[in-house]
Amino acid sequence: MPKIAELFETMEYGPAPEAADEARAWIAARGPRFGHYIGGAWREPADGEFFATLDPSNEEQLGEIARGSTVDVDRAVAAARAAQAAWGDLGGHGRARYLYAIARHLQKHSRLFATLETLDNGKPIRESRDIDIPLVARHFYHHAGWAQLMESELADCEPLGVAGQIIPWNFPLLMLAWKIAPALATGNTVVLKPAEFTSLTALRFAELCREIDLPPGVVNIVTGDGRTGAAIVAHPDVDKIAFTGSTEVGRIIRETTAGTGKKISLELGGKSPFLVFDDADLDSVVEGVVDAIWFNQGQVCCAGSRILAHEGIADALADRLRARMETLRMGAPLDKSVDIGAIIAPVQLQKIESLVEEGREEGATVWQPSWSVPRDGWFYPPTLCTDVSPAAKIAQVEIFGPVVVQMTFRTPAEAVALANNTRYGLAASVWTENVNLALDIASQIKAGTVWINCTNVFDAASGFGGYRESGFGREGGREGLREYVRRRSEAAESGPRGNSDPAQGDEQADARAQAPAPAQAPAPAPLPAIDRTAKLYIGGRQARPDGGYSLKVLDHQGRAAGEVARGNRKDARNAVEAALAASWAGTTAHLRAQILYYAGENLDARRAAFEDRLRALTGCDAEAAGREVEASVRRLFTYAAWADKWDGAVHRTPFRNVTLAMPEPLGVMAVICPPEPALLGFISSVVPSVALGNSVVAVASERWPLLATDFYQVIETSDVPPGVINILTGVEEELRPTLAGHDAVDGMWYFGTDEGAADVERRSASNLKRTWVEAARGRDWFGPGGEGREFLRHASQIKNIWVPYGE
């Protein structure tokens, strides 16, 4: 009789199909044609167009989905707008009850949702059942809690209004939850477009909304293709766009929404590194790779598609991976013993095949298991590519399939360089038994999420989102909640400060200057004033402008008060290079705090000079000038105080791990300073980024640039390292486009006109830099809205590091 150990070696997995009868019965009863869900009711499409939705595993038609037109989108947005005020007024507790009911009903019908998801998407049923649906319910439970706490924790915020949301086909119901849960919790209403290929679970969710008596118009589901999504993005009555999808479409959305005032969040593509150091547990690494790239057939934006293995263990790892790949099971997704399901559609399958073939032509060694893939449906085998150059197309382009490339490194520094050798920055995974090394490497990788000795772990309490061309904004956690609110409108800006008439003392001085000298002592000819043209401040030095031009600065009476350099695009590029070279982010928060305190001390020591300059330029009285300088000193002290206190958190994710939310600087920040107040506006818009470790290229107020150029004397005497603060003067419209379109600028703040704001947002699409644009007239820089957490949030981004513990 064979031993149990022998049985395990010879045992074969038989089929274990999930019953799909209930799901098919639901499709038959509700369809097979599905309309839109608008205003709490099912609506036929305005133009009567439908398209088929297919089972990727066997090409069987499941039903027909309505194709949304601009008329359908108009109706949905109107319904959402009509419902929003009452939904917001319902209060946090009322919204919490509805979100709780959604979570409970999802759990009650979890198997139906899981089966529908697998039928429509092609992913293995065990993933839909054991991962996706529990996470969906978790998101609604978690955000029910935020709805309850909103009135105390977000007391200064209000909902945006109507949120337009567009989700992809790889996690249809989970992406819906990621977007709808925070939007509803914060008092917004929603118009959501599911992916063209995978609309069924969103339509079942719409039915669930009716079952719990969610007020009509709070959630609206409009199905369709890219044209439907474009109509939502372009709709003038949508206040927020949340999009998950390709980087190419993300750019289009950024350009389309530029200048509209819409708040947007983009979760885009990725080419995530999977770093394996020589002390890692290789057996755990192999299973990690399985989860990283063959989970959901590799159709995951944060898939660990680039294995970076230490040179000493790379061959051993590749051997173990090949052995493990032979044991993977691919087949009908409804089979509970299947590891890998079907690719979503023929177009995606063709893309995967084409990219792998290109990799082979570029010299990669392509290895696939010996077993064959199913002939029915759209399947692609797990694939390992070795002998891959870091510059190869398959190492740079997002394949979005079950294909992983393996490269090697020798040192931790080389590992980081290879990991960051991508235009993306969504996620990364680090494998080592040395926790010090793990945290050191994690802090250097340019990615929004870094997993340590784990991968593809998500939770509602932890924000998820990217750096670089993987987009901006976060979904989940406190960070994700902030994407759906804005600060409450401030009181109307206070009236103009100061006195437009010359001071009495100045009138008397002018009269004395004009009085004739005594005859016996003729006055000598007056000496000409010493000419002083303020220069640019780049890389810690005063620099003449590349173009050799200057601009006159006029005081409040139109008299010449001085000249400043007229910076051009070459000067802007030089300033960005200086900012890139600054070693500021690596300094300690304590040191940054001390330097900012020192700057405040030095500004206070020059108080009289700055007050005189304010009075001479703006015509304000002595009291107003003193008030602005005092406010500027206090603001420096405020951000010095925050420099070592803007820390992260440990998310309460329900796993045996510590999930560290670590704020990080964006990198190089460009700031178009507000036109006024002259000194306080400059300091308030530049110093928050500096406090958190960013280096800044600031374009001074075009109207009052001399206050900024005076300030670089404070910088020079305050031990601020070269390149940390760079100051440009000139015409905003000439400098703004270069900075907004510069690929080395990681974030840009703009306080100016609506037209300028639109231009910044449009040009930022080149590298999808983070932008914060605002009409300068809308903020009281002297009040609470002129400083604080809002500025610090926009000056930082959150990286979530997952550290499991226990044996």
Side-chain angles (χ1 to χ4, degrees):
M1 185 172 179
K3 296 180 180 180
I4 293 178
E6 295 173 348
L7 288 174
F8 274 109
E9 292 295 330
T10 59
M11 182 173 58
E12 293 185 0
Y13 286 89
E18 172 74 30
D21 298 345
E22 186 178 351
R24 296 186 184 281
W26 181 85
I27 294 172
R30 308 307 192 274
R33 281 192 163 188
F34 293 89
H36 308 299
Y37 183 71
I38 299 174
W42 295 102
R43 301 285 188 92
E44 291 293 307
D47 58 10
E49 288 190 30
F50 292 83
F51 58 90
T53 184
L54 307 177
D55 181 341
S57 68
N58 56 22
E59 305 178 48
E60 172 191 343
Q61 180 170 319
L62 297 171
E64 291 185 322
I65 307 298
R67 191 187 306 275
S69 65
T70 55
V71 175
D72 299 313
V73 171
D74 286 342
R75 290 171 177 170
V77 174
R81 178 62 65 193
Q84 194 277 319
W87 180 247
D89 291 342
L90 183 62
H93 179 68
R95 295 194 297 272
R97 288 195 175 201
Y98 279 111
L99 288 166
Y100 180 78
I102 290 173
R104 294 291 291 148
H105 273 64
L106 281 163
Q107 290 180 315
K108 291 177 184 177
H109 303 286
S110 62
R111 192 55 68 94
L112 171 59
F113 275 105
T115 308
L116 278 174
E117 194 83 317
T118 290
L119 281 173
D120 210 18
N121 172 271
K123 65 173 61 184
I125 184 64
R126 65 184 183 83
E127 292 180 8
S128 300
R129 179 196 64 203
D130 300 338
I131 300 173
D132 290 19
I133 305 307
L135 266 177
V136 171
R138 161 73 174 151
H139 271 267
F140 281 101
Y141 276 126
H142 183 76
H143 286 91
W146 276 123
Q148 181 72 31
L149 297 174
M150 183 180 173
E151 290 166 8
S152 60
E153 293 299 304
L154 294 173
D156 62 330
C157 295
E158 63 185 8
L160 296 172
V162 175
Q165 303 176 326
I166 302 167
I167 59 175
W169 43 260
N170 54 343
F171 292 92
L173 193 62
L174 183 56
M175 293 296 101
L176 176 149
W178 280 23
K179 288 178 168 52
I180 288 184
L184 265 56
T186 49
N188 301 276
T189 53
V190 166
V191 177
L192 180 136
K193 188 197 89 66
E196 179 180 0
F197 296 128
T198 53
S199 298
L200 290 181
T201 48
L203 295 169
R204 177 63 185 90
F205 180 83
E207 190 173 78
L208 182 151
C209 291
R210 295 188 72 180
E211 292 168 357
I212 67 163
D213 295 323
L214 189 71
V218 171
V219 170
N220 305 273
I221 308 290
V222 180
T223 55
D225 54 18
R227 291 170 291 179
T228 311
I232 293 174
V233 170
H235 200 288
D237 207 24
V238 171
D239 304 293
K240 155 81 180 182
I241 296 295
F243 171 77
T244 298
S246 71
T247 296
E248 291 70 27
V249 175
R251 285 196 181 91
I252 294 171
I253 291 174
R254 170 72 285 180
E255 292 171 349
T256 301
T257 59
T260 63
K262 289 184 173 72
K263 190 171 185 178
I264 68 171
S265 53
L266 304 173
E267 196 257 282
L268 308 176
K271 193 72 175 176
S272 299
F274 190 101
L275 287 74
V276 184
F277 288 87
D278 55 359
D279 64 342
D281 178 352
L282 289 191
D283 289 332
S284 296
V285 168
V286 168
E287 294 309 310
V289 172
V290 172
D291 289 338
I293 190 61
W294 297 310
F295 171 59
N296 199 19
Q297 299 75 252
Q299 299 170 134
V300 184
C301 51
C302 55
S305 54
R306 291 187 297 143
I307 300 174
L308 307 176
H310 190 275
E311 194 173 68
I313 51 91
D315 290 342
L317 175 59
D319 290 342
R320 295 194 191 199
L321 281 173
R322 294 186 189 103
R324 181 69 175 90
M325 291 164 71
E326 285 285 1
T327 68
L328 292 173
R329 299 176 300 280
M330 173 177 278
L334 282 173
D335 188 335
K336 292 188 282 287
S337 65
V338 158
D339 297 306
I340 304 177
I343 303 300
I344 187 66
V347 63
Q348 184 63 23
L349 180 59
Q350 291 164 10
K351 175 186 174 184
I352 297 168
E353 293 171 340
S354 174
L355 286 170
V356 171
E357 187 56 36
E358 286 190 55
R360 198 191 308 269
E361 292 172 359
E362 288 182 313
T365 300
V366 178
W367 192 91
Q368 295 173 334
S370 60
W371 42 261
S372 60
V373 302
R375 295 184 178 181
D376 295 331
W378 306 304
F379 292 86
Y380 193 82
T383 302
L384 171 66
C385 300
T386 53
D387 303 316
V388 177
S389 163
K393 190 170 184 179
I394 56 173
Q396 292 292 327
V397 174
E398 184 179 35
I399 298 175
F400 223 63
V403 180
V404 65
V405 302
Q406 180 171 313
M407 297 172 282
T408 62
F409 65 84
R410 294 181 178 179
T411 65
E414 186 181 2
V416 171
L418 286 169
N420 290 335
N421 181 33
T422 174
R423 61 194 177 101
Y424 299 111
L426 191 56
S429 187
V430 179
W431 294 75
T432 174
E433 294 300 296
N434 185 335
V435 68
N436 293 321
L437 175 64
L439 293 174
D440 182 37
I441 295 298
S443 69
Q444 297 180 64
I445 295 175
K446 299 295 185 182
T449 294
V450 179
W451 294 292
I452 294 176
N453 293 334
C454 59
T455 190
N456 278 339
V457 187
F458 309 97
D459 187 66
S462 178
F464 183 82
Y467 290 8
R468 295 175 170 177
E469 293 188 29
S470 289
F472 48 79
R474 294 292 182 264
E475 295 186 290
R478 290 174 181 265
E479 310 99 88
L481 209 67
R482 287 278 180 180
E483 299 294 333
Y484 288 92
V485 296
R486 61 184 166 217
R487 61 186 176 86
R488 296 188 185 278
S489 302
E490 292 183 326
E493 186 177 3
S494 58
R497 300 184 307 279
N499 186 345
S500 60
D501 296 325
Q504 183 179 2
D506 291 339
E507 290 177 339
Q508 295 171 349
D510 291 341
R512 287 195 298 270
Q514 296 169 8
Q520 70 274 20
L527 293 174
I530 298 175
D531 179 74
R532 178 175 180 268
T533 299
K535 300 180 181 68
L536 307 174
Y537 189 69
I538 299 175
R541 297 182 300 161
Q542 299 180 36
R544 297 188 184 278
D546 172 74
Y549 292 99
S550 61
L551 294 171
K552 285 187 177 181
V553 178
L554 305 179
D555 68 9
H556 65 104
Q557 290 188 327
R559 299 174 303 190
E563 294 187 24
V564 293
R566 182 168 187 163
N568 63 14
R569 58 184 181 180
K570 178 65 164 60
D571 298 311
R573 291 198 295 268
N574 290 343
V576 172
E577 289 181 8
L580 279 169
S583 55
W584 185 239
T587 59
T588 66
H590 174 70
L591 177 60
R592 294 197 298 271
Q594 295 307 299
I595 289 174
L596 290 178
Y597 279 128
Y598 195 16
E601 175 186 334
N602 285 326
L603 176 59
D604 189 60
R606 292 170 171 79
R607 175 184 294 271
F610 277 91
E611 289 179 0
D612 288 346
R613 176 72 89 174
L614 280 166
R615 293 174 61 196
L617 284 174
T618 68
C620 67
D621 58 24
E623 181 181 354
R627 175 175 174 244
E628 183 164 344
V629 175
E630 175 63 23
S632 299
V633 172
R634 287 175 178 266
R635 198 130 296 168
L636 283 163
F637 269 62
T638 293
Y639 289 115
W642 271 116
D644 60 357
K645 296 176 185 63
W646 187 249
D647 49 19
V650 176
H651 291 310
R652 298 210 174 267
T653 52
F655 301 95
R656 287 177 58 83
N657 66 273
V658 177
T659 306
L660 306 173
M662 296 176 57
E664 293 186 344
L666 273 66
V668 175
M669 297 288 294
V671 178
I672 307 293
C673 299
E676 53 185 2
L679 176 62
L680 182 62
F682 173 82
I683 290 175
S684 298
S685 56
V686 170
V687 177
S689 293
V690 174
L692 297 190
N694 299 282
S695 51
V696 176
V697 177
V699 177
S701 163
E702 189 174 331
R703 181 71 181 92
W704 311 118
L706 290 173
L707 273 303
T709 57
D710 287 350
F711 189 75
Y712 61 58
Q713 298 173 19
V714 174
I715 297 172
E716 289 174 330
T717 56
S718 301
D719 295 338
V720 178
V724 172
I725 299 177
N726 305 275
I727 302 173
L728 301 176
T729 56
V731 180
E732 179 208 304
E733 292 183 355
E734 297 174 1
L735 296 169
R736 183 185 68 225
T738 300
L739 294 172
H742 202 302
D743 283 350
V745 174
D746 302 294
M748 186 162 180
W749 294 2
Y750 176 83
F751 302 97
T753 65
D754 293 337
E755 295 77 13
D759 183 62
V760 167
E761 291 181 330
R762 189 177 300 110
R763 293 177 188 273
S764 72
S766 63
N767 70 334
L768 291 170
K769 59 176 61 67
R770 286 267 299 272
T771 60
W772 182 24
V773 300
E774 184 174 277
R777 61 183 178 275
R779 186 177 289 273
D780 176 13
W781 293 97
F782 285 84
E787 66 177 17
R789 291 177 176 270
E790 182 180 17
F791 291 82
L792 297 168
R793 282 195 300 271
H794 284 290
S796 60
Q797 51 195 351
I798 300 296
K799 173 181 290 179
N800 288 282
I801 300 178
W802 296 64
V803 185
Y805 57 81
E807 293 295 329

